[in-house]
PDB file of all heavy atoms in Angstrom:
ATOM      1  N   GLU U  63      -4.105 126.307 122.732  1.00 92.00           N
ATOM      2  CA  GLU U  63      -2.859 126.156 121.968  1.00 92.00           C
ATOM      3  C   GLU U  63      -1.695 125.753 122.868  1.00 92.00           C
ATOM      4  O   GLU U  63      -0.886 124.893 122.516  1.00 92.00           O
ATOM      5  CB  GLU U  63      -2.517 127.462 121.237  1.00 92.00           C
ATOM      6  CG  GLU U  63      -3.262 127.635 119.936  1.00 92.00           C
ATOM      7  CD  GLU U  63      -3.024 129.000 119.292  1.00 92.00           C
ATOM      8  OE1 GLU U  63      -2.284 129.820 119.876  1.00 92.00           O
ATOM      9  OE2 GLU U  63      -3.596 129.243 118.214  1.00 92.00           O
ATOM     10  N   ASN U  64      -1.611 126.374 124.054  1.00 93.00           N
ATOM     11  CA  ASN U  64      -0.560 126.037 125.017  1.00 93.00           C
ATOM     12  C   ASN U  64      -0.709 124.609 125.521  1.00 93.00           C
ATOM     13  O   ASN U  64       0.282 123.884 125.672  1.00 93.00           O
ATOM     14  CB  ASN U  64      -0.583 127.021 126.203  1.00 93.00           C
ATOM     15  CG  ASN U  64      -0.099 128.409 125.788  1.00 93.00           C
ATOM     16  OD1 ASN U  64       0.639 128.550 124.825  1.00 93.00           O
ATOM     17  ND2 ASN U  64      -0.535 129.442 126.508  1.00 93.00           N
ATOM     18  N   LYS U  65      -1.969 124.222 125.800  1.00 94.00           N
ATOM     19  CA  LYS U  65      -2.241 122.845 126.243  1.00 94.00           C
ATOM     20  C   LYS U  65      -1.851 121.846 125.156  1.00 94.00           C
ATOM     21  O   LYS U  65      -1.278 120.792 125.436  1.00 94.00           O
ATOM     22  CB  LYS U  65      -3.746 122.680 126.562  1.00 94.00           C
ATOM     23  CG  LYS U  65      -4.145 123.139 127.948  1.00 94.00           C
ATOM     24  CD  LYS U  65      -5.608 122.792 128.173  1.00 94.00           C
ATOM     25  CE  LYS U  65      -6.109 123.332 129.508  1.00 94.00           C
ATOM     26  NZ  LYS U  65      -7.565 123.069 129.684  1.00 94.00           N
ATOM     27  N   LEU U  66      -2.198 122.203 123.906  1.00 92.00           N
ATOM     28  CA  LEU U  66      -1.897 121.342 122.755  1.00 92.00           C
ATOM     29  C   LEU U  66      -0.392 121.168 122.573  1.00 92.00           C
ATOM     30  O   LEU U  66       0.103 120.052 122.372  1.00 92.00           O
ATOM     31  CB  LEU U  66      -2.525 121.946 121.486  1.00 92.00           C
ATOM     32  CG  LEU U  66      -2.321 121.200 120.169  1.00 92.00           C
ATOM     33  CD1 LEU U  66      -2.920 119.804 120.224  1.00 92.00           C
ATOM     34  CD2 LEU U  66      -2.933 121.980 119.008  1.00 92.00           C
ATOM     35  N   LYS U  67       0.324 122.265 122.685  1.00 93.00           N
ATOM     36  CA  LYS U  67       1.779 122.236 122.546  1.00 93.00           C
ATOM     37  C   LYS U  67       2.416 121.333 123.597  1.00 93.00           C
ATOM     38  O   LYS U  67       3.283 120.514 123.303  1.00 93.00           O
ATOM     39  CB  LYS U  67       2.313 123.676 122.682  1.00 93.00           C
ATOM     40  CG  LYS U  67       3.746 123.855 122.216  1.00 93.00           C
ATOM     41  CD  LYS U  67       4.157 125.321 122.309  1.00 93.00           C
ATOM     42  CE  LYS U  67       5.604 125.516 121.899  1.00 93.00           C
ATOM     43  NZ  LYS U  67       6.043 126.923 122.020  1.00 93.00           N
ATOM     44  N   GLN U  68       1.937 121.479 124.840  1.00 94.00           N
ATOM     45  CA  GLN U  68       2.466 120.685 125.941  1.00 94.00           C
ATOM     46  C   GLN U  68       2.107 119.208 125.782  1.00 94.00           C
ATOM     47  O   GLN U  68       2.938 118.325 126.045  1.00 94.00           O
ATOM     48  CB  GLN U  68       1.935 121.217 127.283  1.00 94.00           C
ATOM     49  CG  GLN U  68       2.663 120.672 128.506  1.00 94.00           C
ATOM     50  CD  GLN U  68       4.177 120.900 128.478  1.00 94.00           C
ATOM     51  OE1 GLN U  68       4.646 122.006 128.210  1.00 94.00           O
ATOM     52  NE2 GLN U  68       4.959 119.843 128.704  1.00 94.00           N
ATOM     53  N   ALA U  69       0.876 118.940 125.324  1.00 93.00           N
ATOM     54  CA  ALA U  69       0.423 117.552 125.128  1.00 93.00           C
ATOM     55  C   ALA U  69       1.286 116.853 124.080  1.00 93.00           C
ATOM     56  O   ALA U  69       1.676 115.693 124.252  1.00 93.00           O
ATOM     57  CB  ALA U  69      -1.042 117.534 124.690  1.00 93.00           C
ATOM     58  N   LYS U  70       1.615 117.577 123.006  1.00 92.00           N
ATOM     59  CA  LYS U  70       2.469 117.003 121.952  1.00 92.00           C
ATOM     60  C   LYS U  70       3.852 116.659 122.497  1.00 92.00           C
ATOM     61  O   LYS U  70       4.383 115.578 122.226  1.00 92.00           O
ATOM     62  CB  LYS U  70       2.607 117.996 120.787  1.00 92.00           C
ATOM     63  CG  LYS U  70       1.395 118.036 119.875  1.00 92.00           C
ATOM     64  CD  LYS U  70       1.626 119.021 118.735  1.00 92.00           C
ATOM     65  CE  LYS U  70       0.434 119.057 117.787  1.00 92.00           C
ATOM     66  NZ  LYS U  70       0.624 120.016 116.691  1.00 92.00           N
ATOM     67  N   ILE U  71       4.408 117.590 123.279  1.00 93.00           N
ATOM     68  CA  ILE U  71       5.735 117.358 123.860  1.00 93.00           C
ATOM     69  C   ILE U  71       5.698 116.143 124.788  1.00 93.00           C
ATOM     70  O   ILE U  71       6.539 115.248 124.704  1.00 93.00           O
ATOM     71  CB  ILE U  71       6.244 118.618 124.611  1.00 93.00           C
ATOM     72  CG1 ILE U  71       6.554 119.737 123.605  1.00 93.00           C
ATOM     73  CG2 ILE U  71       7.476 118.298 125.453  1.00 93.00           C
ATOM     74  CD1 ILE U  71       6.736 121.114 124.215  1.00 93.00           C
ATOM     75  N   ASP U  72       4.674 116.096 125.666  1.00 93.00           N
ATOM     76  CA  ASP U  72       4.553 115.005 126.640  1.00 93.00           C
ATOM     77  C   ASP U  72       4.392 113.640 125.956  1.00 93.00           C
ATOM     78  O   ASP U  72       4.972 112.639 126.394  1.00 93.00           O
ATOM     79  CB  ASP U  72       3.358 115.249 127.577  1.00 93.00           C
ATOM     80  CG  ASP U  72       3.597 116.435 128.506  1.00 93.00           C
ATOM     81  OD1 ASP U  72       4.765 116.844 128.651  1.00 93.00           O
ATOM     82  OD2 ASP U  72       2.609 116.970 129.061  1.00 93.00           O
ATOM     83  N   ILE U  73       3.591 113.606 124.888  1.00 94.00           N
ATOM     84  CA  ILE U  73       3.313 112.334 124.206  1.00 94.00           C
ATOM     85  C   ILE U  73       4.487 111.882 123.353  1.00 94.00           C
ATOM     86  O   ILE U  73       4.960 110.748 123.467  1.00 94.00           O
ATOM     87  CB  ILE U  73       2.017 112.422 123.359  1.00 94.00           C
ATOM     88  CG1 ILE U  73       0.784 112.488 124.284  1.00 94.00           C
ATOM     89  CG2 ILE U  73       1.887 111.230 122.405  1.00 94.00           C
ATOM     90  CD1 ILE U  73      -0.519 112.833 123.593  1.00 94.00           C
ATOM     91  N   TYR U  74       5.001 112.778 122.507  1.00 93.00           N
ATOM     92  CA  TYR U  74       6.014 112.368 121.535  1.00 93.00           C
ATOM     93  C   TYR U  74       7.425 112.227 122.104  1.00 93.00           C
ATOM     94  O   TYR U  74       8.259 111.569 121.502  1.00 93.00           O
ATOM     95  CB  TYR U  74       6.023 113.320 120.343  1.00 93.00           C
ATOM     96  CG  TYR U  74       4.746 113.258 119.537  1.00 93.00           C
ATOM     97  CD1 TYR U  74       3.965 114.394 119.330  1.00 93.00           C
ATOM     98  CD2 TYR U  74       4.304 112.053 118.983  1.00 93.00           C
ATOM     99  CE1 TYR U  74       2.785 114.343 118.591  1.00 93.00           C
ATOM    100  CE2 TYR U  74       3.132 111.990 118.242  1.00 93.00           C
ATOM    101  CZ  TYR U  74       2.382 113.135 118.055  1.00 93.00           C
ATOM    102  OH  TYR U  74       1.217 113.059 117.332  1.00 93.00           O
ATOM    103  N   LYS U  75       7.676 112.844 123.250  1.00 91.00           N
ATOM    104  CA  LYS U  75       9.005 112.704 123.846  1.00 91.00           C
ATOM    105  C   LYS U  75       9.131 111.420 124.669  1.00 91.00           C
ATOM    106  O   LYS U  75      10.213 111.049 125.104  1.00 91.00           O
ATOM    107  CB  LYS U  75       9.327 113.908 124.754  1.00 91.00           C
ATOM    108  CG  LYS U  75       9.489 115.239 124.005  1.00 91.00           C
ATOM    109  CD  LYS U  75      10.712 115.263 123.110  1.00 91.00           C
ATOM    110  CE  LYS U  75      10.847 116.588 122.381  1.00 91.00           C
ATOM    111  NZ  LYS U  75      11.880 116.565 121.346  1.00 91.00           N
ATOM    112  N   ASN U  76       8.002 110.747 124.891  1.00 88.00           N
ATOM    113  CA  ASN U  76       8.027 109.530 125.724  1.00 88.00           C
ATOM    114  C   ASN U  76       7.370 108.353 125.011  1.00 88.00           C
ATOM    115  O   ASN U  76       6.603 107.605 125.599  1.00 88.00           O
ATOM    116  CB  ASN U  76       7.296 109.793 127.061  1.00 88.00           C
ATOM    117  CG  ASN U  76       7.969 110.879 127.863  1.00 88.00           C
ATOM    118  OD1 ASN U  76       9.073 110.703 128.351  1.00 88.00           O
ATOM    119  ND2 ASN U  76       7.316 112.026 127.991  1.00 88.00           N
ATOM    120  N   LEU U  77       7.675 108.194 123.733  1.00 94.00           N
ATOM    121  CA  LEU U  77       7.069 107.112 122.963  1.00 94.00           C
ATOM    122  C   LEU U  77       7.694 105.760 123.315  1.00 94.00           C
ATOM    123  O   LEU U  77       8.904 105.651 123.477  1.00 94.00           O
ATOM    124  CB  LEU U  77       7.242 107.361 121.470  1.00 94.00           C
ATOM    125  CG  LEU U  77       6.476 108.539 120.848  1.00 94.00           C
ATOM    126  CD1 LEU U  77       6.886 108.713 119.395  1.00 94.00           C
ATOM    127  CD2 LEU U  77       4.974 108.345 120.950  1.00 94.00           C
ATOM    128  N   SER U  78       6.853 104.742 123.402  1.00 95.00           N
ATOM    129  CA  SER U  78       7.350 103.380 123.631  1.00 95.00           C
ATOM    130  C   SER U  78       7.799 102.806 122.284  1.00 95.00           C
ATOM    131  O   SER U  78       7.415 103.325 121.231  1.00 95.00           O
ATOM    132  CB  SER U  78       6.233 102.511 124.210  1.00 95.00           C
ATOM    133  OG  SER U  78       5.233 102.296 123.222  1.00 95.00           O
ATOM    134  N   PRO U  79       8.603 101.725 122.286  1.00 96.00           N
ATOM    135  CA  PRO U  79       9.012 101.122 121.011  1.00 96.00           C
ATOM    136  C   PRO U  79       7.820 100.756 120.122  1.00 96.00           C
ATOM    137  O   PRO U  79       7.865 100.963 118.917  1.00 96.00           O
ATOM    138  CB  PRO U  79       9.784  99.873 121.452  1.00 96.00           C
ATOM    139  CG  PRO U  79      10.354 100.239 122.776  1.00 96.00           C
ATOM    140  CD  PRO U  79       9.289 101.084 123.423  1.00 96.00           C
ATOM    141  N   TRP U  80       6.749 100.236 120.707  1.00 96.00           N
ATOM    142  CA  TRP U  80       5.575  99.845 119.915  1.00 96.00           C
ATOM    143  C   TRP U  80       4.906 101.076 119.288  1.00 96.00           C
ATOM    144  O   TRP U  80       4.443 101.025 118.148  1.00 96.00           O
ATOM    145  CB  TRP U  80       4.576  99.060 120.770  1.00 96.00           C
ATOM    146  CG  TRP U  80       3.288  98.790 120.044  1.00 96.00           C
ATOM    147  CD1 TRP U  80       2.049  99.248 120.352  1.00 96.00           C
ATOM    148  CD2 TRP U  80       3.128  98.012 118.851  1.00 96.00           C
ATOM    149  NE1 TRP U  80       1.122  98.809 119.436  1.00 96.00           N
ATOM    150  CE2 TRP U  80       1.756  98.045 118.502  1.00 96.00           C
ATOM    151  CE3 TRP U  80       4.009  97.289 118.033  1.00 96.00           C
ATOM    152  CZ2 TRP U  80       1.249  97.390 117.385  1.00 96.00           C
ATOM    153  CZ3 TRP U  80       3.493  96.638 116.910  1.00 96.00           C
ATOM    154  CH2 TRP U  80       2.142  96.691 116.599  1.00 96.00           C
ATOM    155  N   GLN U  81       4.871 102.169 120.008  1.00 96.00           N
ATOM    156  CA  GLN U  81       4.282 103.401 119.465  1.00 96.00           C
ATOM    157  C   GLN U  81       5.103 103.930 118.291  1.00 96.00           C
ATOM    158  O   GLN U  81       4.556 104.449 117.325  1.00 96.00           O
ATOM    159  CB  GLN U  81       4.153 104.458 120.571  1.00 96.00           C
ATOM    160  CG  GLN U  81       3.018 104.158 121.541  1.00 96.00           C
ATOM    161  CD  GLN U  81       3.043 105.030 122.785  1.00 96.00           C
ATOM    162  OE1 GLN U  81       4.078 105.603 123.143  1.00 96.00           O
ATOM    163  NE2 GLN U  81       1.915 105.127 123.460  1.00 96.00           N
ATOM    164  N   ARG U  82       6.414 103.761 118.362  1.00 96.00           N
ATOM    165  CA  ARG U  82       7.270 104.163 117.231  1.00 96.00           C
ATOM    166  C   ARG U  82       7.016 103.254 116.019  1.00 96.00           C
ATOM    167  O   ARG U  82       7.039 103.711 114.882  1.00 96.00           O
ATOM    168  CB  ARG U  82       8.748 104.128 117.629  1.00 96.00           C
ATOM    169  CG  ARG U  82       9.119 105.223 118.617  1.00 96.00           C
ATOM    170  CD  ARG U  82      10.611 105.470 118.669  1.00 96.00           C
ATOM    171  NE  ARG U  82      10.958 106.371 119.771  1.00 96.00           N
ATOM    172  CZ  ARG U  82      10.945 107.692 119.693  1.00 96.00           C
ATOM    173  NH1 ARG U  82      10.564 108.288 118.570  1.00 96.00           N
ATOM    174  NH2 ARG U  82      11.293 108.430 120.742  1.00 96.00           N
ATOM    175  N   VAL U  83       6.775 101.970 116.268  1.00 96.00           N
ATOM    176  CA  VAL U  83       6.423 101.047 115.182  1.00 96.00           C
ATOM    177  C   VAL U  83       5.120 101.516 114.520  1.00 96.00           C
ATOM    178  O   VAL U  83       5.010 101.552 113.289  1.00 96.00           O
ATOM    179  CB  VAL U  83       6.273  99.590 115.704  1.00 96.00           C
ATOM    180  CG1 VAL U  83       5.688  98.682 114.629  1.00 96.00           C
ATOM    181  CG2 VAL U  83       7.620  99.041 116.162  1.00 96.00           C
ATOM    182  N   GLN U  84       4.152 101.913 115.343  1.00 95.00           N
ATOM    183  CA  GLN U  84       2.877 102.419 114.811  1.00 95.00           C
ATOM    184  C   GLN U  84       3.082 103.678 113.972  1.00 95.00           C
ATOM    185  O   GLN U  84       2.477 103.828 112.907  1.00 95.00           O
ATOM    186  CB  GLN U  84       1.914 102.711 115.966  1.00 95.00           C
ATOM    187  CG  GLN U  84       1.356 101.458 116.632  1.00 95.00           C
ATOM    188  CD  GLN U  84       0.452 101.827 117.812  1.00 95.00           C
ATOM    189  OE1 GLN U  84       0.910 102.335 118.835  1.00 95.00           O
ATOM    190  NE2 GLN U  84      -0.826 101.581 117.657  1.00 95.00           N
ATOM    191  N   LEU U  85       3.945 104.583 114.453  1.00 95.00           N
ATOM    192  CA  LEU U  85       4.242 105.805 113.692  1.00 95.00           C
ATOM    193  C   LEU U  85       4.924 105.494 112.369  1.00 95.00           C
ATOM    194  O   LEU U  85       4.656 106.144 111.359  1.00 95.00           O
ATOM    195  CB  LEU U  85       5.129 106.742 114.513  1.00 95.00           C
ATOM    196  CG  LEU U  85       4.439 107.758 115.437  1.00 95.00           C
ATOM    197  CD1 LEU U  85       5.476 108.593 116.160  1.00 95.00           C
ATOM    198  CD2 LEU U  85       3.505 108.695 114.662  1.00 95.00           C
ATOM    199  N   SER U  86       5.792 104.487 112.363  1.00 96.00           N
ATOM    200  CA  SER U  86       6.507 104.120 111.132  1.00 96.00           C
ATOM    201  C   SER U  86       5.551 103.595 110.069  1.00 96.00           C
ATOM    202  O   SER U  86       5.862 103.610 108.883  1.00 96.00           O
ATOM    203  CB  SER U  86       7.579 103.058 111.422  1.00 96.00           C
ATOM    204  OG  SER U  86       6.991 101.785 111.595  1.00 96.00           O
TER     205      SER U  86
END
Side-chain angles (χ1 to χ4, degrees):
E63 278 174 359
N64 289 336
K65 277 186 185 176
L66 180 61
K67 195 177 178 182
Q68 193 55 48
K70 282 181 179 179
I71 291 166
D72 291 343
I73 289 169
Y74 294 122
K75 293 293 180 190
N76 298 292
L77 292 174
S78 69
W80 173 244
Q81 286 169 339
R82 290 198 189 274
V83 171
Q84 288 178 292
L85 271 180
S86 76

